[in-house]
Amino acid sequence: STLLKIVAGVTRPTEGRVSGRGRVVSLLELGAGFNPDFTARENILMNAAMHGIPRAEVLNRLDDIVAFAEVERFLDSPLRHFSSGMFLRLAFSVAINMEPNILLADEILAVGDIAFQERCLQRVAEESKKGLTVLFVSHDMQSIARLCDRVVWLDKGRVVNLGDPDTIVAEYQDAALAATRFKHGDREKGRHAN
């Protein structure tokens, strides 16, 4: 998540630099900047403005945003009346419908109900085929294997491995399991030594 915050420009790197081309939209904290006292419509316009997207462009996409979020009936209701699921759907829909060139996503794609997760993953996969670059950070190995075509395994800021999702996911899971067994084994040995 720290890497995504650096790419998003939220956090400065302690060394090195990050460069990218195009519109960067972040799904790191869905709904960050949303105001619960404003209507869904007002929040859509405000959130898009935070990403530097002109009002006319947002208004052209408003129907798509609202349809994907399934909040048509509540467009002019304050967000404080939204359920957490409605809130997540709206925030994701705003982000994905801003036609980003680079999409930064973390565990947020693994929240909400299963149908919502599926729609998010399908939409991200569709946009990736059109050229969207997705930087996805997660501990949900199934989502990583499904969504990514290349995986970087990082540990304490260092690259452990890079490559095919199935291979890297399998190696990560094996290493995590081995580390758990090692720690558990050390505790057991300590108990018997006393």
Side-chain angles (χ1 to χ4, degrees), residues 85 89 111-118:
R89 289 196 312 267
V111 299
D113 61 57
I114 293 173
F116 172 69
Q117 289 176 28
E118 183 62 25

Side-chain angles (χ1 to χ4, degrees), residues 32-183:
F34 276 18
N35 185 323
D37 293 322
F38 290 2
T39 67
R41 182 188 312 269
E42 292 166 332
N43 274 288
I44 290 168
L45 293 168
M46 214 173 33
N47 195 269
M50 285 176 27
H51 286 99
I53 299 159
R55 182 181 177 90
E57 193 176 332
V58 180
L59 291 174
N60 285 338
R61 296 190 188 135
L62 188 63
D63 290 343
D64 293 335
I65 292 168
V66 173
F68 188 87
E70 298 176 334
V71 294
E72 295 91 338
R73 291 182 21 219
F74 307 99
L75 186 58
D76 294 308
S77 298
L79 289 188
R80 68 173 137 32
H81 298 299
F82 279 36
S83 68
S84 59
M86 290 168 65
F87 184 88
L88 286 172
R89 289 196 312 267
L90 180 63
F92 177 84
S93 187
V94 170
I96 199 70
N97 280 291
M98 291 300 109
E99 294 185 1
N101 301 98
I102 301 170
L103 180 70
L104 308 177
D106 63 5
E107 304 287 353
I108 203 67
L109 293 180
V111 299
D113 61 57
I114 293 173
F116 172 69
Q117 289 176 28
E118 183 62 25
R119 286 179 48 223
C120 289
L121 292 173
Q122 283 179 357
R123 180 67 184 269
V124 168
E126 288 168 15
E127 296 299 322
S128 294
K129 289 177 185 172
K130 296 178 191 174
L132 172 68
T133 297
V134 180
L135 291 170
F136 180 53
V137 173
S138 179
H139 289 97
D140 179 351
M141 296 299 114
Q142 288 180 326
S143 293
I144 288 174
R146 177 175 174 202
L147 189 61
C148 302
D149 57 17
R150 195 160 184 212
V151 174
V152 178
W153 172 9
L154 298 174
D155 184 26
K156 297 179 183 130
R158 304 236 183 266
V159 175
V160 175
N161 207 347
L162 167 71
D164 170 72
D166 292 331
T167 302
I168 304 302
V169 164
E171 289 177 10
Y172 173 80
Q173 288 175 324
D174 289 346
L177 186 59
T180 301
R181 286 182 182 152
F182 178 76
K183 286 180 183 176

Side-chain angles (χ1 to χ4, degrees), residues 16-42:
R17 65 186 174 95
V18 174
S19 62
R21 287 192 198 123
R23 182 178 289 166
V24 177
V25 174
S26 170
L27 294 177
L28 302 180
E29 294 177 20
L30 274 182
F34 276 18
N35 185 323
D37 293 322
F38 290 2
T39 67
R41 182 188 312 269
E42 292 166 332

